[in-house]
Amino acid sequence: EYLLKGGLLFNDYSLIEQFKTLYKAVIKYMQHEFWYIWVNMYTGLPAIPSVSTLDAFWPSLQILIGDIKSASKTLMNFYSLITHYGFTPELFSLLRGQVQQRSEVYPLRPEFVESLVYMYRATGDKMWRTMGKQVIDSLELSARTACGYATISNVVTHQLEDMRESFFLSETTKYLYLLFSDEHWVFNKGLSDENVTVTEGLDRDGYQICA
């Protein structure tokens, strides 16, 4: 992830070349019907025939390199879990076709919605927003409590855990907001800007002083 994004950010083609080398290995050894399984890092042989909810970030990288078709198929795979369970479990066994034991939790992770943002921005297809709307509906139906949103401790029973990870607010809700935002400044590609002049509340180095 950081090889690709670092290469794009710093215009460093050597980083992108490293990513391309690893990308070929991922496709060769890890891809299974557009899921990506865990493999032995030395041999490339399958280690755990399961997929993680964290893997849902992968389509966003594929979109950045223009592999929209593969990204779309992987997103549809993850969406199939959401339509079945309401959420993506921490681990799903491809061998058994069910949630991995002791991995039924969904701690309100952002990766699937993150990839939806990339896909919608790349294609403009409202189907991806519809998927995001289902994520919101699931959160409202099963994760919302009187004082916020709670971790789903079991995606099968929708039992809640009395906690919430900080990334729900810093990432999951951010990506949901961006998915349905048409004109947010993060999408302007640097083609426009706005100068803001601040004359008060700065220290001698130009940093804003906070009380």
Side-chain angles (χ1 to χ4, degrees):
E1 178 181 6
Y2 298 114
L3 285 173
L4 178 58
K5 292 181 178 179
L8 295 173
L9 178 62
F10 300 114
N11 198 27
D12 187 337
Y13 195 69
S14 67
L15 296 179
I16 296 176
E17 280 296 297
Q18 292 178 63
F19 174 81
K20 289 167 66 176
T21 298
L22 292 172
Y23 187 76
K24 291 178 182 178
V26 168
I27 299 302
K28 180 178 180 179
Y29 295 107
M30 301 178 70
Q31 182 176 279
H32 177 72
E33 297 181 352
F34 295 96
W35 291 110
Y36 294 85
I37 63 173
W38 296 21
V39 300
N40 185 292
M41 65 181 294
Y42 299 106
T43 66
L45 295 175
I48 304 176
S50 299
V51 293
S52 166
T53 185
L54 293 169
D55 299 338
F57 87 97
W58 180 249
S60 68
L61 300 188
Q62 295 181 302
I63 294 163
L64 284 177
I65 62 172
D67 194 355
I68 304 294
K69 185 177 180 179
S70 295
S72 175
K73 290 181 178 180
T74 299
L75 276 175
M76 292 302 295
N77 281 345
F78 277 104
Y79 185 62
S80 70
L81 297 181
I82 292 174
T83 57
H84 187 77
Y85 296 107
F87 304 98
T88 52
E90 198 76 344
L91 282 177
F92 181 81
S93 172
L94 296 179
L95 193 62
R96 297 183 177 89
Q98 62 187 29
V99 178
Q100 188 90 4
Q101 288 187 347
R102 296 184 294 278
S103 296
E104 299 90 351
V105 64
Y106 171 66
L108 313 184
R109 292 196 184 280
E111 285 77 13
F112 177 74
V113 184
E114 176 186 6
S115 288
L116 287 183
V117 173
Y118 280 79
M119 183 62 84
Y120 178 73
R121 300 303 302 183
T123 66
D125 191 333
K126 292 184 179 179
M127 174 182 71
W128 307 110
R129 279 185 167 176
T130 300
M131 292 184 184
K133 175 61 165 54
Q134 182 155 345
V135 172
I136 294 174
D137 289 343
S138 292
L139 290 171
E140 290 295 310
L141 178 65
S142 299
R144 187 163 185 169
T145 70
C147 58
Y149 295 81
T151 287
I152 305 294
S153 65
N154 189 311
V155 299
V156 178
T157 64
H158 286 202
Q159 181 179 347
L160 298 181
E161 187 172 345
D162 189 17
M163 65 167 292
R164 185 197 65 214
E165 300 286 355
S166 61
F167 53 69
F168 173 70
L169 293 179
S170 62
E171 296 183 72
T172 307
T173 56
K174 174 188 70 177
Y175 287 122
L176 283 170
Y177 174 81
L178 291 176
L179 178 60
F180 294 96
S181 176
D182 291 316
E183 300 181 357
H184 195 277
W185 61 267
V186 301
F187 300 131
N188 72 16
K189 299 180 181 179
L191 300 179
S192 61
D193 59 23
E194 180 181 352
N195 292 325
V196 178
T197 302
V198 179
T199 58
E200 297 180 358
L202 301 179
D203 64 18
R204 63 181 183 180
D205 295 316
Y207 295 99
Q208 188 164 4
I209 300 172
C210 299

